[in-house]
Amino acid sequence: MDKSSATPNDSFTSAMTLTEEGLTCIPKRYIVPSSLRPNGTLSNSNTCLPIVDLSLLQHPLLRPQIIQQVYLACKELGFFQVVNHGIPLSVMKDALDNAIEFFDLPSEEKLHLLSSNVHDPVREKMGNYTKAVQKLQEEIMEVIFESLELNPDYLHEDIAKGSQVIAVNCYPACPEPDLALGLPPHTDYSLLSIILQNHQGLQIMDRDEKWHSVPVIEGGLIALVGDHMEVLSNGQYTGVVHRAAVNSEKKRLSIASLHSLALGKKVRPAPALVDEQHILSYNEGGFSDFLDFISGEDIVQVAFGGGVGIISCAAGLLYAFFTSTP
């Protein structure tokens, strides 16, 4: 293949392989419509994205301020970053290092972990981070419920025994980042998603449909409201639309931990949030429906095809499913 251009063919070549071949132009199938290109739609405003210091929850006089901060962040953006959350930097670094180690493996070695079933666990080295982020989401969920004027212990047992999906993405350096996206705009099918990224690339859409880049904060983690929280809150909080941009200089890794109720549990609007002024607006749904769907479909076509033929520039997607029940 000519390294200065790429000709379309019927076979699919991963973004990592194309990067290793030294292409200076991306294949046409990776080019997104001009209206969706990241630089053309990115806000130039200096909007301060919310950062929540979880350690302040331990101070009785400051806790109400943190709850209000979370309420405004979820209501206006569906997003906030958390700091002083209790997960050691070393645990977060180990998780990212393990992800890099996996994606740097030769294709032949990666194939040993290949599975068509997203229910199958994939890796054990993520264990420490996975357990830590599961505990963190329980704390964040309590804060979110309190911000909705629900009991912080609402659904406590279901949350503690809920499902957790780890999705690890690798985005290699892209020769034409202004023309492509790592992942197209989407919301997460979860109550809450917690994302760790090693380089800037995550972008969120605000309620005015303006895009904002999420900066990398040392020790910080990103909390995103998902579709299930939109259902549970009866629409008070809506799932945040987000996407992943690519860059021309650095390989980017992200580890997304998606949390919801156990597979057999259905998420429905909290009864306390339904009244004459706030009519029941959502049907119930469960995480197992989503996992069954993506297990039986062509994920590239479903997730990245859309109506405009977008193909992800992520080099790979590694799924691992965990549940706290034995």
Side-chain angles (χ1 to χ4, degrees), residues 75-143:
K75 188 77 172 177
E76 296 175 1
L77 291 172
F79 151 91
F80 54 94
Q81 294 210 64
V82 291
V83 295
N84 295 325
H85 44 66
I87 301 181
L89 275 172
S90 59
V91 172
M92 298 164 63
K93 182 179 183 301
D94 285 346
L96 287 169
D97 288 345
N98 287 331
I100 292 172
E101 180 183 326
F102 169 81
F103 285 110
D104 283 345
L105 289 174
S107 298
E108 296 75 18
E109 294 187 40
K110 289 194 187 91
L111 288 174
H112 291 300
L113 296 174
L114 181 65
S115 173
S116 61
N117 187 355
V118 295
H119 296 265
D120 291 341
V122 177
R123 307 175 71 203
E124 296 180 1
K125 290 185 177 181
M126 285 283 175
N128 289 337
Y129 177 74
T130 298
K131 292 175 183 176
V133 81
Q134 168 67 14
K135 182 179 179 182
L136 173 62
Q137 70 89 23
E138 293 179 34
E139 180 181 5
I140 295 176
M141 210 76 79
E142 289 181 0
V143 175

Side-chain angles (χ1 to χ4, degrees), residues 35-53:
S35 61
L36 298 179
R37 291 175 191 171
N39 280 356
T41 57
L42 196 60
S43 174
N44 293 321
S45 66
N46 295 320
T47 302
C48 268
L49 299 177
I51 301 173
V52 176
D53 186 340

Side-chain angles (χ1 to χ4, degrees), residues 169 171 181-186 242-246 304 310 312-314 317:
N169 262 314
Y171 306 91
L181 284 171
L183 282 178
H186 65 286
H242 55 288
R243 66 187 182 187
V246 289
F304 310 137
I310 298 174
S312 170
C313 280
L317 178 62

Side-chain angles (χ1 to χ4, degrees), residues 258-273:
L258 286 74
H259 301 267
S260 193
L261 304 186
L263 290 184
K265 294 281 187 177
K266 300 289 186 181
V267 179
R268 56 181 60 88
L273 301 180

Side-chain angles (χ1 to χ4, degrees), residues 14 19 68 80 100 108 133 148 154-155 163-164 179 196 208 213 237 247 257 305 310 313 324:
S14 74
T19 300
Q68 178 67 8
F80 54 94
I100 292 172
E108 296 75 18
V133 81
L148 287 166
Y154 182 67
L155 295 179
S163 58
Q164 178 183 18
L179 301 180
L196 169 62
D208 294 324
S213 285
Y237 299 160
N247 68 81
S257 186
I310 298 174
C313 280
S324 58

Side-chain angles (χ1 to χ4, degrees), residues 54-67 146:
L54 291 183
S55 68
L56 299 180
L57 291 170
Q58 308 308 317
H59 300 269
L61 295 179
L62 297 178
R63 185 179 178 92
Q65 297 178 28
I66 300 302
I67 299 301
E146 191 170 345

